[in-house]
């Protein structure tokens, strides 16, 4: 837990969010500024800054999150698939420093890397 972390506060219910899912370990909520018709975030409840800080001790939790993602995506109507994005560190464009998996889908999802 981190006192001033935005996503810790969301997971604790101290800042309102549009909840998608919650259990003992993880919390999922809609992105406040969606880039597609469905865009939500899956986070661990325990504060973890990013994948840069992850190690073997997080393997089970991260595995759980990745296998939970398709279940939650289907429940949000993304039967045909979805994009997962994990921005890690400033070099990865991360803005909120509590690890989160973006789950994005619906509408037109273009190739992520454009090659000319
Ligand atoms: P990242 O750039 O990967 O760190 O993503 C941070 C994401 O958090 C962005 O997509 C924001 O739109 C989203 N975000 C920021 N504040 C909130 C909030 N209060 N509730 C929901 N999503 C948020
Ligand atoms: Zn946090």
């Amino acid at each position: 837990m981190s006192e001033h972390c935005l996503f810790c506060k969301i997971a604790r219910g101290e800042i309102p969010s549009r909840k998608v899912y919650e259990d003992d370990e993880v919390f999922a909520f809609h992105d406040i500024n969606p880039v597609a018709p469905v865009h939500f975030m899956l986070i661990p409840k325990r504060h973890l800054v990013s994948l840069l800080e992850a190690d073997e001790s997080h393997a089970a939790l991260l595995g759980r999150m990745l296998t939970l993602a398709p279940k939650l995506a289907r429940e949000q109507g993304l039967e045909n698939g979805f994009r997962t994005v994990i921005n890690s560190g400033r070099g990865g464009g991360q803005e909120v420093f509590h690890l989160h998996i973006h789950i994005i889908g619906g509408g037109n999802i273009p190739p992520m890397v454009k090659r000319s």
Side-chain angles (χ1 to χ4, degrees), residues 5-34:
C5 169
L6 174 64
F7 284 180
C8 280
K9 288 181 181 172
I10 286 178
R12 292 198 296 264
E14 294 169 12
I15 289 179
S17 69
R18 287 174 55 222
K19 184 164 91 174
V20 167
Y21 175 82
E22 178 175 16
D23 64 28
D24 286 351
E25 287 186 313
V26 303
F27 193 88
F29 56 101
H30 291 282
D31 197 295
I32 205 166
N33 191 14

Side-chain angles (χ1 to χ4, degrees), residues 8 28 62 64 84 93 107:
C8 280
L62 293 171
R64 261 211 75 216
T84 45

Side-chain angles (χ1 to χ4, degrees), residues 55-110:
D55 59 31
E56 272 299 313
S57 71
H58 302 103
L61 173 66
L62 293 171
R64 261 211 75 216
M65 290 174 70
L66 280 180
T67 51
L68 187 56
K71 181 175 180 287
L72 299 183
R74 279 196 196 91
E75 286 172 7
Q76 295 300 313
L78 301 178
E79 288 87 2
N80 290 330
F82 55 91
R83 171 167 290 163
T84 45
V85 174
I86 308 175
N87 297 323
S88 303
R90 291 193 195 285
Q94 187 176 3
E95 292 180 329
V96 177
F97 288 87
H98 178 130
L99 185 141
H100 49 282
I101 303 176
H102 295 259
I103 296 159
I104 298 164
N108 178 39
I109 302 293

